[in-house]
Amino acid sequence: SSGINAEYGGQSQRSNPHQTQHRDDTRHDEDNSNFNRRELRSSNRQDLENRLIDMDRKPYNFYKDLYGYSFDFGGVFTLKFDHVQGDPYAAPSRICITLPLVKSRYPDWSWSNKVRSIALADYICRRTVDVISDLKADHKARGSWHDGKGGELRVEHPSQNILLRTSAEIQDGRILLRFCLGLPAKGRSICGHWAADICCNTVYQIVTRACCGPASDTNQVRVSVESYEDQEHLRAQLNPARLVAFVPNGAILPRAAGHVDTPLTGTNVVRFQSPESLQTTMQCPNKGEVVGMGIKPGVTLIAGGGFHGKTTLLSALKFGVFSKIPGDGREYLVTTPTATKLRAEDGRQITGVDISNFINNLPQKKDTTRFYSCDASGSTSQAAAIMEYLEMGGKCLMIDEDTAATNFMIRDDKIQMLLSADKEPIKPFLYRARELYDRVGVSSIVVVGGAGDYLDIADTVLLLDNYTVKDVTLQAKEIATAKPAHIPTLPPMMPPSQRTVD
C-alpha cells in the first residue's frame, strides 16, 4: 500500500488541511469550466485516462465531471458513470458497462429466450465476481488521512439463488454490468493515476476475462442455462400436476452452517429420498425425467424428533420459490410461486388488518376487523401475517412451531377446561387450517414436534427419522381416530376484505 500511496498520493498539506481544502474548493468553479470547455474529439479509453490523470491532486469533487459520460473501449464495450460519489467516505460511485452480445463469447442459444437470458446474466455476474477476486480488485485501501483510500471495484455478490439482478442484465441484445467503484483519494485530493489504472486497465481486464475471449466455459454456461430452464419449467408444472411442492431424490438439503447457504459436505451427508407412496415423476425439457416426492395441496405435517431434519426440510421448501445454481444440492426442488413461510413477529406494526377470523372479543371491545397496533404480540402478528398473505393471493403457507406463537397454534384440553371459549379471544390456527384449504384453497405445511392435535386435520403426515422421510399418514389417522382432538366448530372463515392503509 505504501507504493500505491507514493505513486498516487496528493501534495503534502503543509498548512492547515481545512484551509488548503477551502482554497482548492474556491478554484473548482474556474477549473471545472475549463474542463467543460475542453471538447473531447472522441470519448474513448484514452480520453478517460487523460481526463483522470488531469484531475490528479485536485479536490475530490472534480470527479463529478465524469457523471453521465460514456467512454468507448475499442469498440468492445462502453463505460458510463451512472453515479459519482461526492466524498471519499461516501457510498461508492457506480459505473455501467455495456457490451453487445454479438461481441461476447456467449453463443446464441444461451440467450435465445427470456428464461435463458436471466440464467446467462446470473452466470456472467458470478463469473465477474470470480474474476474480480482473482485480480484482488475488490480490496479497499484504508489508512490515515494522509494515506490512499478507496480503490475497491465490485459487483453484487450473488446468493445460491438465480435471480433477475441489476448487477448483470441482458437487454436488447446487450450485456449490462454494473460495478461499485470507490474512486481513490488521499485525504480529499484525487489520486488521478490510481483512478486511471482502475478504470482503464482493471475494468478492461475484468470485462474481457468475464465476457470475451476464447469460449472455454461453454459447457458450464450450458449447464447453468439448461438447469435454470428446467427448474422454471418444473415450477410451472406443479399446478397442472396437483402439487404444491416437489423434492427430487438425491437432493442435499442441509446447509454448511446456519449463516451460510452453501451445501453441507462430507461423508455423513444424507441425501433426500422420497417415500414410495409419495414418489412422483416430473418431466424437464433438458434433463428429462426427474423423480422425487410430490407434496399435494391440503394440510401437510412434518413431524419428528428434535434435530432429525424437520426445519431443514421446511427451509428447503421455503426457498423452493427460487431456482438454484448447479451444485447447490437443491436444484429441481420447487414450490408453488406464492409459497412463503410465516412466523410470529413480536413488536411489529399492524395497520388496518382484519384479524377477526383468528382474534375477536378483545377487552374494551377493541375492533379486530380493522386492527391497529404499534407493538403487536406474537399471536396478533401471526394472525395479521396470514390475513396479509391471503390479501396477496397466496396459496401455500408454511409454519414452523419453533418460530410460532404457541397460543396461536393450539389450545389443549386442559386449558379449554380452565378457560372457557368466551373468555379466550384467540382462535388457534388448528381450528382454521382445515377450513383455510377447504373454503379458501390455501394449503398449509406445518412443522410439529409437540402439537399432536394437528394429526386430526392433516391430509399428509411426513415423519423425519434420522434425516430420512417416511410417510406415516395412515398411522397418524389411526392415532387421531383413537384419541380425537376437541376442535370446536367456528363461524365460517371470511375472506380478507379490501382495505385502505391510512
Side-chain angles (χ1 to χ4, degrees):
S1 62
S2 60
I4 292 176
N5 295 334
E7 183 178 359
Y8 301 120
Q11 292 178 326
S12 60
Q13 298 180 356
R14 288 182 291 273
S15 58
N16 185 301
H18 299 288
Q19 294 175 352
T20 303
Q21 183 67 42
H22 174 71
R23 289 197 298 270
D24 286 341
D25 289 342
T26 59
R27 292 196 299 268
H28 176 259
D29 291 340
E30 179 183 352
D31 290 343
N32 188 38
S33 64
N34 291 333
F35 269 108
N36 291 335
R37 287 195 297 267
R38 184 184 304 158
E39 294 185 3
L40 298 175
R41 288 170 293 181
S42 61
S43 297
N44 55 33
R45 179 180 179 180
Q46 188 61 54
D47 296 328
L48 175 60
E49 183 175 3
N50 293 340
R51 191 158 196 177
L52 288 169
I53 291 174
D54 285 346
M55 292 180 183
D56 190 46
R57 301 184 182 184
K58 288 186 168 60
Y60 196 87
N61 53 1
F62 268 68
Y63 273 135
K64 289 286 186 179
D65 295 331
L66 300 171
Y67 173 72
Y69 273 89
S70 294
F71 299 91
D72 179 72
F73 277 60
V76 180
F77 65 87
T78 60
L79 181 155
K80 182 180 179 182
F81 287 84
D82 288 338
H83 166 73
V84 179
Q85 64 200 95
D87 187 275
Y89 301 94
S93 303
R94 296 190 297 272
I95 60 175
C96 179
I97 302 298
T98 302
L99 170 68
L101 275 163
V102 294
K103 295 185 178 181
S104 74
R105 66 165 175 263
Y106 298 109
D108 295 354
W109 53 259
S110 64
W111 42 277
S112 58
N113 56 50
K114 182 177 180 180
V115 170
R116 291 193 169 206
S117 294
I118 294 174
L120 178 60
D122 181 87
Y123 176 85
I124 292 172
C125 181
R126 296 174 194 278
R127 175 64 182 151
T128 303
V129 169
D130 292 341
V131 173
I132 290 174
S133 179
D134 291 344
L135 295 175
K136 294 181 171 56
D138 55 347
H139 288 194
K140 182 177 181 179
R142 302 175 184 273
S144 65
W145 176 268
H146 298 288
D147 294 328
K149 298 178 180 64
E152 78 275 17
L153 185 67
R154 57 183 172 81
V155 297
E156 175 192 3
H157 197 292
S159 66
Q160 299 291 97
N161 305 319
I162 299 177
L163 301 171
L164 183 62
R165 296 182 173 89
T166 56
S167 55
E169 291 184 276
I170 292 178
Q171 291 183 6
D172 303 324
R174 301 172 301 163
I175 298 172
L176 303 180
L177 270 175
R178 295 183 176 92
F179 294 80
C180 289
L181 167 62
L183 289 168
K186 184 174 183 181
R188 283 190 170 86
S189 296
I190 290 174
C191 294
H193 293 275
W194 187 0
D197 183 51
I198 296 171
C199 294
C200 300
N201 298 324
T202 305
V203 169
Y204 183 80
Q205 291 182 60
I206 292 170
V207 175
T208 53
R209 286 177 58 176
C211 300
C212 306
S216 58
D217 57 350
T218 301
N219 186 59
Q220 297 175 19
V221 174
R222 183 178 294 278
V223 170
S224 296
V225 168
E226 291 185 350
S227 173
Y228 178 72
E229 190 173 46
D230 283 345
Q231 292 177 69
E232 292 296 298
H233 179 81
L234 277 178
R235 193 171 292 106
Q237 294 306 305
L238 287 176
N239 191 49
R242 291 287 298 156
L243 298 174
V244 294
F246 175 80
V247 186
N249 290 340
I252 300 175
L253 305 186
R255 302 292 90 188
H259 65 288
V260 295
D261 205 25
T262 53
L264 183 66
T265 58
T267 57
N268 293 328
V269 174
V270 178
R271 291 179 175 268
F272 182 86
Q273 182 63 42
S274 171
E276 285 290 333
S277 57
L278 299 175
Q279 192 153 281
T280 304
T281 300
M282 305 285 282
Q283 292 289 335
C284 297
N286 301 299
K287 187 180 177 65
E289 286 189 353
V290 181
V291 180
M293 180 180 73
I295 298 179
K296 296 180 180 180
V299 180
T300 300
L301 302 185
I302 302 176
F307 303 97
H308 279 253
K310 304 186 301 296
T311 298
T312 298
L313 175 57
L314 189 72
S315 179
L317 292 172
K318 175 180 72 172
F319 288 109
V321 295
F322 303 119
S323 297
K324 306 295 186 297
I325 61 173
D328 173 80
R330 298 168 297 181
E331 309 97 305
Y332 309 105
L333 188 160
V334 293
T335 53
T336 187
T338 62
T340 195
K341 180 175 177 287
L342 304 177
R343 59 169 297 158
E345 299 176 86
D346 298 55
R348 65 156 283 189
Q349 181 168 320
I350 299 175
T351 306
V353 181
D354 182 358
I355 61 173
S356 60
N357 285 315
F358 295 98
I359 300 175
N360 51 32
N361 297 327
L362 290 177
Q364 299 180 349
K365 298 182 179 180
K366 187 171 183 179
D367 183 20
T368 59
T369 61
R370 190 171 169 80
F371 187 77
Y372 290 83
S373 176
C374 294
D375 186 19
S377 66
S379 56
T380 53
S381 68
Q382 202 164 342
I386 291 176
M387 296 310 298
E388 289 166 339
Y389 180 66
L390 298 183
E391 288 177 0
M392 298 176 67
K395 291 298 180 182
C396 180
L397 64 85
M398 307 176 195
I399 298 176
D400 189 335
E401 68 175 12
D402 283 351
T403 56
T406 302
N407 62 339
F408 181 78
M409 295 300 292
I410 193 171
R411 291 181 70 216
D412 64 21
D413 292 342
K414 292 185 177 65
I415 287 294
Q416 291 185 50
M417 293 172 63
L418 180 67
L419 188 64
S420 60
D422 61 325
K423 299 296 184 182
E424 173 53 77
I426 301 173
K427 307 300 183 289
F429 184 71
L430 171 67
Y431 299 174
R432 291 294 194 188
R434 181 74 258 163
E435 185 185 12
L436 198 60
Y437 176 68
D438 293 339
R439 287 178 57 87
V440 188
V442 176
S443 299
S444 302
I445 302 177
V446 185
V447 167
V448 294
D453 285 355
Y454 276 86
L455 299 180
D456 292 59
I457 64 170
D459 296 298
T460 305
V461 181
L462 305 177
L463 179 69
L464 269 293
D465 183 9
N466 198 25
Y467 314 114
T468 300
V469 178
K470 300 178 181 179
D471 180 8
V472 295
T473 305
L474 294 178
Q475 181 183 353
K477 290 185 179 298
E478 291 174 358
I479 295 172
T481 301
K483 191 175 181 181
H486 176 63
I487 300 178
T489 301
L490 301 179
M493 187 170 184
M494 301 301 294
S497 56
Q498 292 184 345
R499 62 187 172 109
T500 301
V501 178
D502 297 335

